[in-house]
Every structure is written in structure tokens, then in C-alpha cells.
Amino acid sequence: MKDMPGIRDSTPRFGRSKQKRRWARKAIGVVLATPVILAAGIGAEALVRARLDPEMFQAPTRLYARRLVLHPGLSLDPTRLEAYLERLGYRRSDRRSVAIGEYYRSAREWVIGRRSFRVYDKLEQGGVTTVRVGWRGGRGRRGRVSSIRDGSGRRLDYVPLEPEVLGMPYGATRKDRIPVPLAQVPKHVVDAVLSVEDRHFFEHSGLDFKRIAGAAVANVRAMRVVQGGSTLSQQLVKNLFLSPSRSPLRKLRDVAMAKILERRHSKEEILEAYLNEVYLAQDGALAIHGVGRAAQHFFGKDISEVSVSEAALLAGIIRGPSLYSPFRHREAARKRRDLVLSLMRDRELLSERAYSQALAAPLGLRKRPERSRRGRYFVDFVSRQLAAIHGKKTLRNGLTVFTTLDMDMQRVAEQAVSSGLARLEAANPALVREDSPLQAALVALDPRTGEILAMAGGRDYGRSQFNRAVNARRQTGSSFKPIVALAALSRGGGFTLASMLMDRPLAVETRVGMWRPANYDGRFRGEVTLREAIEQSLNVPVARLGMQVGPERIVETARNLGIESWLNAVPSIALGSFEMTPLEMTRAFGVFAANGFRSETRTTLGVLDQRGKVLSRFRVDGEQVYSPAETYLVTSALQGVVERGTGRGVRALGFRGPVAAKSGTTNDFRDAWFIGYTPSLVVGVWVGYDDAKSTGLSGSRAALPIFAQFLKGAVGPDGGPEFSVPSGVEMARAGGDSRLRGRFGCRGESEVFLIGTAPRGSCIPYRYASRTRRSRRGYREATPMFADAPRRTSRRSYRP
């Protein structure tokens, strides 16, 4: 009220003085208490947080591609071996005496300086390996490994090369490290680090007052910060628990934490933690932490193999990983290395001779390997599987995962998909759509083991991460017909490849209306054999076959082949009316290739935890669901698809090896399929739009070229061994009536049957005229005269 005019302040003068003294006492108390409270808070924080946990130094989970294992008898493509080594960052040498990370090649010999491979404390030792190659006839694209010897000349049974890193599912930090026990870090690495970063490490208890004083004097003289006084313990605390910002408060916190850390842990524990945590480089978006990973990054070596010169370079980089990066600032890195070497000499950790040798040594940097961007759909697929099995937390804590992916095949798969779609769009400009581009999926398996060897889930992972090979469910069309054929040809089905089927108009009453299947070309051919129906992909005969066999039996057959998608026992199932994924369909065809053995699909060969303990190991799981003889009948028919049917384009595109395959096209040309196999490889290709719009292309036009390009790149134009004919089948000549055997003078062709199912009776011989025509198999065939007139050829009369 003192602000109101005419009114005086009635507060006594002595009251105002007392109030001021009270506020002053409070202010002094706050000032005095603040350091105490701050110190208590810092101390409490140090007590709680200053603790080393092994999980702090976990490596990220690493997914490795299938590693190349050399062994006598291995068919070796020199181009692929060289590409493998180049991707790993090996340098080609023109001398036989190679160093680690180098290779030499001649026409008949490879000398490889193999790098070591580490999983925590387990080290697979590298070394120099000589591989001799023999060439059949002295010529040819592929040779065979004749012998393998180590550096001492000892003969080896096999040699595994280091695997390629396929991917790493990161946590939020995106730190890359390879933890190494202190006992496996060379002494000269420790000496180099301590010489430049904390020479009194084993003498102080967290703070080095001599170094602090020396740093202060140096900074005052230079009028700027030129030297730090932090110990290794303080640096470790800053890296693990604090921010990199510089402030008096942060300095007090790292002092308190360093003191607590020194009380709780031994010097060896702190030193090991520091060597595994220190930041040393940046590799794209990845931060390289720890000397174990840095040794690989800079030198292509395990930390146990680095030289004194290389150890000094690693130690020198610690102060400024960007400033002293030898990849970008070679001269600055060299000067920094030389400084560390001089410090080691001054501390009598190096003799004059060792110092001179290290000083004269080159930096020894590795050739930087190609950063793999292949197989990212597969990496996502495996990561989800591992997370489901081991949990997301475990996935981010240093698992070592050896996958089934073959990087050579993966490269071929991605190129086949990319170039195949580009060719389709160039030939058919109407296919180009910006909103939803034309897509394709390709998956390749080893049918004998179920291992996924290649996977392309789309044309561009960067634009769309949706994995069509695994998650896209699409109608299969005619690619489902081999499953119908197996249901009919297997024991109890009642049909043979020579069985006659009617290709005439068909109308079937269903609960949703009349179903009228039609052939692709709209024509009807009358009677055709089951083989012809499969080879020419005729819808109507196969629809009739499905109804005679029974939709329920077809569903059962599909389940036996490993198809898990929803199916309903309705007539249209015979023509592939239900949706399945490319992986499912490829796996089902793999049963044909594996002679009736259904293997479980595998993506990993082995999984190790962060300490190298085996969590899971590869083994072939599966079941013999059909006999080799039963599935061989389907294989024989699908070989005919390639030779005479809808898959002839495979031959036209230059693949000459043994292959069995089937095309598929769905209504309105929404989906194009081509799935095929050799005895050792099964490949499925799908082409279409994500929104199921029509492409206007059949499976033979859209998917077959991608299939053929991949197959040629994966196994070569000549392919591999032929399909073997199993026991339980016989060859017989079937006459025009599938119930009768052909014989000399009768119309008929050789066919394969399950033993006991071939025709028993014989057809009649006909009189042949001189004019001839070509049969469906390309042979010249006589045309009978008077086909309906019986003719006596001997004492026995034959009736037609």
C-alpha cells in the first residue's frame, strides 16, 4: 500500500530488518548446502552407475553368408573365387610369397594369405594356403581342386575361407565391435595405448595428478587446450555413462565415477573394458569401437596378429579418429604413429632396432572391402526368425549367425530380377507404372537340405521392403498342375502318364455357379494323354483329372509337399485357384527334385551366442513323403515341358543342362509363374503387380526369362548331372489305347511307368503306307491305311 498516495507504510522499521536477515541466512544456507547436495548427488550417481556390465561390450549380431570351403575334388570357377576374395578385401599379388590378406593366382595354382576368423575368444587361425587346380583336357571354364597345402607343405583335407558379413540387426547405438579378452590382446598393443593415453595407469587410483598438472601447464603455455589429463578410467566413464560435452559438472561426475570404478574393478578389468569400448573409426553409419574390430577395419587382421607399427597406429588414432584416420589423412596418421613409437622407445618398451623397423614399416592398410547391400530381404527374414526363436533382446546381443545364403547366387538372383523386369518394361512400355511398379520375386533352395540359397523379395529393397518371396500370397495358376499330377500318378491315384484324358468343353455346377474351364488358346484337342496335358498346360483335361482323382486327394498331396496356405477341396483347385507364396511353391517343387523327400526350410547353418557357445546347429530335418519312383514320373513330365511344351523358352535362352519346370498364369494375366529344378537346385519366380492389376503376360513370357537367366548364372549353361532314374519304374511303349502296349508296327511311344502299372495287352500292327508325318516328339511316324480293317499277318488274327 506504500504505492498509494497519501498512505504511509505502517511496517515497523525493525521488522523489515529482521525479514532481510532471515532471507540472507536462507541464501547463505543454500550457497553452503549446494556443494554438499551436489557432491552427494554425484556420489550417489557414481555408486549406482559406475559398474562394468559385460552387456555393455556386446558385439552386434552378425549374419554371415555361406562361407566358401575349399576341398580336393571341388569344382572351382576361378572367376567366382577371385570375386569372393575381392569382396572380402583381399589384394591380388604378382608374387607367390603373399602376406595375410593377399592372394596370388596362376593357371593351376592359387596361394591365399587367409585371415583369421574370431568369435569372442575362439579364433580360427589363418595362414598361407596353396591350392592346386587340375583342368580336364587342359581347357574349360571350371577346374577341380587337386590338392591343398598349408604354409609348411602339410596336406589339408579342407580349408574354410572367412565368411562375408551379410548384415547386422543393430540396436539404437549402431556400434560395431568385436570383443576380445585382454589375455588375447598382444602386449605391444597394450604398451602402445598406455604410452600415449595413460602411462601411469597401473600406479594411480583413477586420477593422475601429475598428468593433470602437466596438462594444465601445457594448456596455459599454448593458450588453448592441447593436452588432456584424463586417465583411462575417466575416459571409459565418459564413453560409457556421460555425454561428450565439456563442463565443470561433467568433469566432477567423471572424477567421482572413475574413483568408484577403480574400487569396484581390477585394473585388468578396466583395461579390457577400455580396449573393447574405445571409439576408433566410422564406417558409414557404423561406429567402430574396440581394438578387435578396428584391427579388422584398418588392417584386415585379427588383433592377435597386428605388428608393433600397426599397434602404434591404433593407439595414435584414439585421440582423434576423424583427424588421424589413415584412410583419409594418411600423412597425419603416419606422424601420429611415429609419435607413439617414440614414446614407446622412450619408456624402453622398444629397442632401437625394433623402433627403427616399426618406423620404416608401411601403414599396412587393407584394401577396403565392398560394403554388401545384397540379400537384404533375406536378412530381414532371418532376423524375424531369430527374434521369434531367441527373443529380440538376444538378437541384439552379439549372436554369430551362419546363414545358408550363397552370395554368388544372390548376386545372380538380384541381377536376373532387375534386368528381367527392365527388359519386360522396355518391350512393353504399358507395363511401366510409377505408383506401383512391376515386381518380381525369386527364391532358390537346395532341395536336398531345404537351405535357402538366394532370395529376391522385390526389384528394389530401398523402395519397398515388402518381401514378396515370403509374404505375397498369389494364385498359382497352372504351376499347381504338377501337384495334381502327383496326386493322380502316385500309388492309389489310378493314373499313368499314358492315361487318356478328354479335352472337350466342361461345365461343372458349383455352389457359386457354373464353372467352365477353358484352355489358354480356346481350342479343344479331343483325347490327350496325361503327359500331353501337363506339357502343353491344357486346363480342361487337368480339370477333369482333378475331379476324377478328387479335390480332397489333391489337398492331401499339397499338404504332404509342405504347402500350409488355406486350401478348399473344390474342383477349381486343380487349376491353381488358391493363393500361395513363392517360397511355398518352390519348396513343394523341391520334393520332386529330392526324390520325394520333404526337407524343412532352413535359413541358418548355426547360431553362436556372444561367448561362442552353440545355440543351434544345422541338421537336415524332413520326411520321405513320396517314393522316388512316384516323384520321378512328375519330373519326367516336367522335363517334357521344357523340351516340347510351354517351357521351351528355357532352351531358346541358352540353358542346355537337365531341368524340369512348369509355367503358370492366372486369370486376366494377374500373376506369372515359372518354377523349375535340377537335381541340386529348385528355383521359383513370380512376376506381377502388388495391386493384382493385369500384366497381359503369361508365365512363359514374364517369369521364364528371369528363371533362365538365373539358372545359367547359378549352375552354368551346361548345368550339372542328369536326373537319375530310380528303382521302381519301368519304360514301356504305350499304344494309342493307354491300356495296351505298343509293339513293332503299332503306333505308340515309350513312356515311364511305376512297376506294375504299364499296359499288359498289346496293340495290333497296321499296314503302313509310304507317306509319313511327324509325331509330337518330333519323330517321323507312318500313317496307317485302313485303320478300321483287320488284317491277317499270320495264323493269328488281330482286332483293332
Side-chain angles (χ1 to χ4, degrees):
M1 293 184 296
K2 65 181 181 179
D3 295 332
M4 296 180 63
I7 299 179
R8 297 173 57 186
D9 186 3
S10 59
T11 304
R13 193 180 295 272
F14 70 90
R16 291 198 301 270
S17 300
K18 185 177 181 180
Q19 191 175 32
K20 289 179 180 180
R21 286 195 300 272
R22 189 161 53 246
W23 280 108
R25 284 196 300 270
K26 287 182 179 180
I28 293 171
V30 169
V31 171
L32 295 175
T34 296
V36 177
I37 296 171
L38 187 61
I42 292 173
E45 179 191 37
L47 288 170
V48 171
R49 299 183 65 190
R51 190 185 306 274
L52 297 179
D53 186 339
E55 290 192 3
M56 294 175 176
F57 314 106
Q58 297 292 355
T61 289
R62 274 185 173 78
L63 273 61
Y64 291 99
R66 178 187 295 269
R67 64 196 309 190
L68 178 59
V69 180
L70 303 176
H71 59 84
L74 175 70
S75 177
L76 190 66
D77 182 344
T79 303
R80 287 192 175 183
L81 176 56
E82 186 161 31
Y84 186 93
L85 296 172
E86 290 288 333
R87 289 197 302 268
L88 290 170
Y90 280 72
R91 294 180 185 274
R92 183 169 180 174
S93 172
D94 56 1
R95 297 178 302 171
R96 290 188 75 259
S97 56
V98 299
I100 298 299
E102 295 181 342
Y103 71 94
Y104 164 84
R105 64 169 291 191
S106 65
R108 294 184 175 273
E109 184 180 63
W110 291 74
V111 183
I112 304 171
R114 294 186 303 116
R115 300 191 186 105
S116 299
F117 179 66
R118 173 183 292 277
V119 178
Y120 188 59
D121 60 344
K122 295 176 175 59
L123 183 66
E124 185 180 276
Q125 198 70 44
V128 176
T129 302
T130 302
V131 181
R132 296 284 297 175
V133 181
W135 299 87
R136 286 170 291 184
R139 292 179 297 176
R141 180 167 171 261
R142 289 173 179 259
R144 289 196 178 273
V145 176
S146 58
S147 68
I148 304 175
R149 297 182 183 275
D150 64 12
S152 61
R154 184 166 54 95
R155 189 180 292 270
L156 303 175
D157 294 330
Y158 66 93
V159 168
L161 299 180
E162 63 186 291
E164 297 177 69
V165 176
L166 185 60
M168 289 182 276
Y170 304 104
T173 59
R174 297 186 70 84
K175 291 182 178 181
D176 188 11
R177 64 160 62 85
I178 297 178
V180 184
L182 182 62
Q184 294 187 15
V185 178
K187 181 178 181 298
H188 53 262
V189 174
V190 175
D191 290 342
V193 171
L194 295 183
S195 293
V196 71
E197 292 298 324
D198 192 352
R199 67 177 63 187
H200 303 121
F201 174 72
F202 286 102
E203 301 165 13
H204 62 68
S205 58
L207 295 177
D208 185 352
F209 294 104
K210 291 182 180 179
R211 183 170 182 176
I212 292 172
V217 172
N219 294 337
V220 168
R221 287 176 177 173
M223 299 298 292
R224 58 188 178 91
V225 177
V226 295
Q227 188 173 327
S230 296
T231 62
L232 252 62
S233 302
Q234 289 176 277
Q235 292 181 45
L236 180 61
V237 163
K238 181 193 70 174
N239 294 339
L240 291 177
F241 310 116
L242 303 175
S243 69
S245 62
R246 295 184 177 184
S247 67
L249 179 59
R250 200 222 71 189
K251 198 66 179 177
L252 290 173
R253 293 168 69 196
D254 79 43
V255 167
M257 288 187 180
K259 297 293 289 184
I260 297 296
L261 200 67
E262 291 269 355
R263 291 185 180 181
R264 285 180 172 166
H265 298 279
S266 67
K267 288 288 187 180
E268 289 73 17
E269 290 173 330
I270 294 172
L271 181 57
E272 179 178 312
Y274 179 85
L275 293 174
N276 284 310
E277 171 58 26
V278 63
Y279 170 63
L280 286 162
Q282 194 72 26
D283 185 17
L286 298 180
I288 305 296
H289 286 257
V291 295
R293 180 67 184 95
Q296 283 191 354
H297 178 70
F298 290 119
F299 314 120
K301 294 182 179 181
D302 185 75
I303 187 62
S304 62
E305 300 169 337
V306 300
S307 66
V308 171
S309 172
E310 293 162 345
L313 179 58
L314 288 178
I317 291 172
I318 294 174
R319 180 181 177 186
S322 178
L323 181 63
Y324 299 114
S325 169
F327 288 131
R328 289 185 294 173
H329 307 291
R330 185 177 291 262
E331 194 55 37
R334 184 187 299 278
K335 290 180 179 179
R336 184 68 177 166
R337 180 204 67 175
D338 295 349
L339 172 63
V340 176
L341 290 172
S342 66
L343 293 174
M344 295 174 70
R345 180 197 59 183
D346 294 346
R347 295 182 63 202
E348 298 183 352
L349 298 172
L350 287 180
S351 65
E352 283 295 334
R353 181 179 179 184
Y355 168 73
S356 299
Q357 289 176 343
L359 206 62
L363 295 181
L365 301 177
R366 73 179 298 177
K367 177 184 176 183
R368 302 190 75 171
E370 298 177 14
R371 185 174 300 167
S372 174
R373 300 183 66 83
R374 301 197 183 278
R376 288 183 288 175
Y377 288 106
F378 179 78
V379 170
D380 288 350
F381 181 49
V382 177
S383 299
R384 285 195 296 270
Q385 285 188 326
L386 293 172
I389 296 171
H390 302 290
K392 290 185 178 180
K393 183 178 179 181
T394 304
L395 179 62
R396 294 176 179 174
N397 284 340
L399 299 184
T400 299
V401 183
F402 298 98
T403 74
T404 61
L405 198 76
D406 184 306
M407 285 296 277
D408 283 325
M409 286 195 186
Q410 182 64 30
R411 175 185 56 81
V412 174
E414 293 181 10
Q415 288 178 348
V417 166
S418 176
S419 61
L421 292 178
R423 284 194 301 269
L424 287 174
E425 291 175 335
N428 305 274
L431 293 174
V432 179
R433 290 173 50 190
E434 292 298 328
D435 59 327
S436 179
L438 187 65
Q439 293 288 352
L442 184 153
V443 61
L445 307 174
D446 184 331
R448 302 160 296 186
T449 62
E451 299 170 17
I452 295 179
L453 302 176
M455 176 182 286
R459 69 186 298 169
D460 184 357
Y461 180 88
R463 183 168 178 175
S464 170
Q465 291 78 51
F466 179 63
N467 190 342
R468 295 155 190 84
V470 176
N471 300 317
R473 297 188 180 278
R474 308 298 289 254
Q475 288 186 338
T476 57
S478 294
S479 64
F480 192 79
K481 288 175 182 175
I483 299 173
V484 180
L486 180 61
L489 296 170
S490 57
R491 297 289 181 183
F495 287 82
T496 72
L497 287 172
S499 295
M500 304 303 294
L501 304 175
M502 293 302 299
D503 185 15
R504 292 178 179 171
L506 174 65
V508 180
E509 184 72 39
T510 69
R511 282 184 288 182
V512 296
M514 193 67 70
W515 179 54
R516 292 184 174 88
N519 293 326
Y520 176 77
D521 58 5
R523 296 171 49 226
F524 296 97
R525 294 161 178 79
E527 276 194 334
V528 296
T529 64
L530 195 157
R531 173 184 286 276
E532 287 175 319
I534 296 298
E535 289 182 357
Q536 304 303 322
S537 198
L538 303 178
N539 290 337
V540 176
V542 174
R544 291 181 183 276
L545 177 65
M547 293 175 64
Q548 290 178 271
V549 170
E552 294 80 6
R553 183 177 173 87
I554 296 173
V555 171
E556 180 185 0
T557 302
R559 297 297 184 216
N560 290 339
L561 296 179
I563 291 175
E564 299 174 350
S565 293
W566 182 76
L567 299 173
N568 195 9
V570 295
S572 62
I573 191 175
L575 301 185
S577 59
F578 290 93
E579 297 176 341
M580 299 166 205
T581 68
L583 180 58
E584 275 185 301
M585 286 297 293
T586 306
R587 180 189 179 198
F589 272 60
V591 179
F592 304 142
N595 297 316
F597 182 77
R598 185 192 69 209
S599 56
E600 297 299 322
T601 303
R602 299 284 301 194
T603 58
T604 61
L605 300 173
V607 180
L608 309 180
D609 69 8
Q610 60 269 28
R611 297 287 174 174
K613 178 183 176 182
V614 178
L615 296 180
S616 64
R617 191 188 302 274
F618 169 76
R619 66 178 185 274
V620 177
D621 291 328
E623 180 183 358
Q624 190 75 35
V625 291
Y626 289 97
S627 71
E630 290 170 322
T631 55
Y632 180 75
L633 299 183
V634 179
T635 295
S636 177
L638 298 187
Q639 285 182 284
V641 170
V642 176
E643 302 301 335
R644 296 172 293 277
T646 57
R648 294 189 305 273
V650 174
R651 297 297 188 216
L653 290 171
F655 183 75
R656 300 180 291 271
V659 61
K662 184 70 187 74
S663 61
T665 311
T666 59
N667 291 342
D668 299 325
F669 301 97
R670 291 189 179 97
D671 304 282
W673 295 80
F674 201 85
I675 309 172
Y677 54 92
T678 71
S680 60
L681 182 67
V682 55
V683 184
V685 177
W686 167 88
V687 176
Y689 289 111
D690 288 339
D691 57 8
K693 293 289 182 63
S694 174
T695 65
L697 300 174
S698 66
S700 296
R701 289 185 61 195
L704 183 151
I706 295 174
F707 172 90
Q709 181 179 342
F710 172 79
L711 201 59
K712 286 195 300 181
V715 299
D718 296 321
E722 295 284 343
F723 290 100
S724 60
V725 180
S727 60
V729 299
E730 62 176 332
M731 300 297 294
R733 192 171 173 83
D737 184 339
S738 65
R739 296 166 297 178
L740 299 176
R741 284 180 181 265
R743 55 173 289 180
F744 178 76
C746 290
R747 181 180 177 182
E749 297 187 25
S750 293
E751 189 53 271
V752 59
F753 298 88
L754 295 179
I755 289 179
T757 65
R760 295 183 180 180
S762 298
C763 69
I764 69 164
Y766 294 105
R767 182 188 308 168
Y768 288 90
S770 60
R771 72 188 158 87
T772 59
R773 63 183 176 87
R774 289 191 178 274
S775 72
R776 63 182 174 85
R777 295 205 180 187
Y779 303 113
R780 297 188 66 83
E781 183 177 88
T783 303
M785 294 179 63
F786 312 111
D788 56 349
R791 168 175 172 268
R792 183 175 298 274
T793 58
S794 65
R795 292 184 179 180
R796 185 175 177 182
S797 176
Y798 292 84
R799 290 186 304 169

